[in-house]
Amino acid sequence: MKQSILLLIACIIQLLVCCYGQPDPKLDKLVSLASSNKGMVKLNTNSFDRFIEGKRNYGMVVVLTALDPKFGCAPCREFDPEYRLLADSFQHSKDNRKLFFGHLDFQDGQAIFQKYNIQSAPNVFYYPPQQAGEKKQMIRYDLARNGFSAESLANFLSNTSGVSISVTRPYDYFKLAIKAALTLISVVILKVLYNYFNFIVFHKATWTIVSMVIILTMTSGYMWNRIRTPPHIMRDQKGQPNFIANGFSQQFGVEQQIVASIYAILSFSIVGLMKSATQFEDKSRQRISIYLWMTCILFTFSCLIALFRVKNGGYPFKILF
């Protein structure tokens, strides 16, 4: 009875080994290559076909480059350290058998470049896992749109492959030391200057100017420009520059400067009007001063209303023009 039970258990174990424990030579080779080269699998034409074609129990990312100086591929040299950083970071993760990072240079894989009709570099392709007989399409990473940073590629691969990928950048202690030194020098300089110019810090005119600059900057559309990053100006079909965008939901970068200037002139004129009413004892001079400042306010406010009319042709109000 015991022998029958043991024989049955042995058969079950052997069946499980046959079904789930069969060695995968391609996977084992990739693991070996990646672990010996900081997560990077260097490819040539033959190894590319071997690891990409047929059944894959893993995902494969491949970058195609032309790093030889005679090609003059500056983007290849710029992207190469970011790609290596990502490969090295992922090599230390627990899922490093699910995804591999390959590198195929033009010198080692001209046939692959011709096969894919690739005329420029670098290019990044992701090959998802596939079963025997399947022919899944590769997915291309758009470097021009997403940029060359390792974090951007990691985010793309995480969303595409379903494997969590993060980037671990080595800490730059030299940069930290430079920042600490600059901070210390700045503190010393500020301390020395403070002893001579502290009256400026506590003067009401200083904070008046600072407050006015902040208010004018924020009310003129600065934050909208920072968030949306619109073009500075736009040219029409005839090549003439347009400084004002149509509609209240759009604006050009230069509009912020125009609006801020109008607001600044209005603010300065109002302050000047308030001062002039009490500064002159002579009634005639006081009256002339008031007339001048009121004219300035009227003209500037007319410009502001005219700007609103340019933004929206249906705006019904105007003052002088």
Side-chain angles (χ1 to χ4, degrees):
M1 183 67 179
K2 290 182 179 180
Q3 292 180 349
S4 300
I5 295 175
L6 291 175
L7 181 61
L8 179 61
I9 293 175
C11 291
I12 293 174
I13 292 174
Q14 186 175 4
L15 180 63
L16 291 174
V17 170
C18 291
C19 293
Y20 301 100
Q22 291 181 351
D24 187 341
K26 291 203 302 184
L27 180 60
D28 294 339
K29 184 64 175 178
L30 281 172
V31 171
S32 175
L33 292 172
S35 60
S36 63
N37 193 30
K38 296 184 178 181
M40 182 78 74
V41 179
K42 187 171 177 59
L43 301 172
N44 55 35
T45 299
N46 294 330
S47 58
F48 179 90
D49 289 334
R50 177 189 175 190
F51 294 130
I52 296 301
E53 300 298 330
K55 179 181 178 180
R56 293 191 303 269
N57 295 325
Y58 51 85
M60 188 83 179
V61 186
V62 180
V63 60
L64 284 75
T65 61
L67 292 173
D68 194 291
K70 68 181 180 182
F71 297 117
C73 183
C76 296
R77 293 191 294 272
E78 181 182 351
F79 181 62
D80 185 63
E82 292 293 303
Y83 187 75
R84 291 182 179 275
L85 173 64
L86 179 57
D88 187 32
S89 300
F90 185 70
Q91 181 62 22
H92 296 88
S93 75
K94 62 181 180 179
D95 296 324
N96 58 10
R97 295 175 65 92
K98 296 181 179 180
L99 185 68
F100 295 92
F101 290 82
H103 174 219
L104 178 65
D105 194 72
F106 181 77
Q107 296 282 70
D108 303 316
Q110 297 185 29
I112 302 300
F113 277 73
Q114 294 173 1
K115 177 181 177 180
Y116 286 95
N117 193 27
I118 294 175
Q119 304 294 328
S120 62
N123 292 276
V124 179
F125 301 119
Y126 168 65
Y127 298 86
Q130 67 181 15
Q131 298 300 318
E134 284 188 317
K135 193 66 176 179
K136 290 188 177 180
Q137 292 293 322
M138 65 183 182
I139 302 173
R140 185 170 189 163
Y141 175 70
D142 192 343
L143 284 165
R145 179 179 180 181
N146 298 313
F148 285 7
S149 72
E151 287 79 6
S152 297
L153 179 55
N155 184 60
F156 167 81
L157 293 173
S158 296
N159 296 331
T160 305
S161 67
V163 179
S164 178
I165 303 174
S166 59
V167 178
T168 304
R169 291 188 178 273
Y171 201 81
D172 192 343
Y173 291 98
F174 178 76
K175 196 173 187 179
L176 176 63
I178 293 296
K179 288 183 178 180
L182 291 176
T183 302
L184 180 60
I185 293 172
S186 300
V187 170
V188 173
I189 293 175
L190 289 174
K191 178 62 177 177
V192 173
L193 294 177
Y194 180 79
N195 295 330
Y196 295 96
F197 300 102
N198 59 349
F199 67 93
I200 297 178
V201 177
F202 296 104
H203 199 284
K204 65 178 182 180
T206 302
W207 293 105
T208 300
I209 295 173
V210 171
S211 300
M212 289 297 297
V213 169
I214 294 175
I215 292 171
L216 292 173
T217 300
M218 294 304 173
T219 58
S220 61
Y222 171 78
M223 290 308 300
W224 194 95
N225 287 346
R226 292 289 297 177
I227 295 171
R228 301 292 184 87
T229 61
H232 191 66
I233 62 173
M234 187 72 73
R235 296 187 179 274
D236 58 20
Q237 296 179 350
K238 297 181 179 180
Q240 297 298 321
N242 290 329
F243 302 103
I244 307 297
N246 293 328
F248 289 120
S249 61
Q250 299 292 331
Q251 73 174 20
F252 298 141
V254 72
E255 284 187 49
Q256 177 217 334
Q257 302 168 19
I258 296 173
V259 173
S261 300
I262 294 176
Y263 285 168
I265 295 173
L266 276 174
S267 302
F268 183 74
S269 300
I270 293 172
V271 172
L273 177 63
M274 294 169 59
K275 291 289 186 180
S276 66
T278 56
Q279 183 178 10
F280 300 109
E281 295 182 0
D282 183 72
K283 299 297 183 179
S284 298
R285 297 181 62 186
Q286 186 182 82
R287 187 178 298 108
I288 293 173
S289 175
I290 292 174
Y291 288 159
L292 289 175
W293 285 118
M294 285 299 300
T295 302
C296 185
I297 293 173
L298 186 64
F299 179 81
T300 307
F301 203 79
S302 298
C303 293
L304 184 63
I305 297 299
L307 176 62
F308 291 159
R309 290 174 63 84
V310 173
K311 294 289 290 181
N312 189 345
Y315 193 76
F317 305 107
K318 68 176 182 178
I319 301 179
L320 296 179
F321 42 79

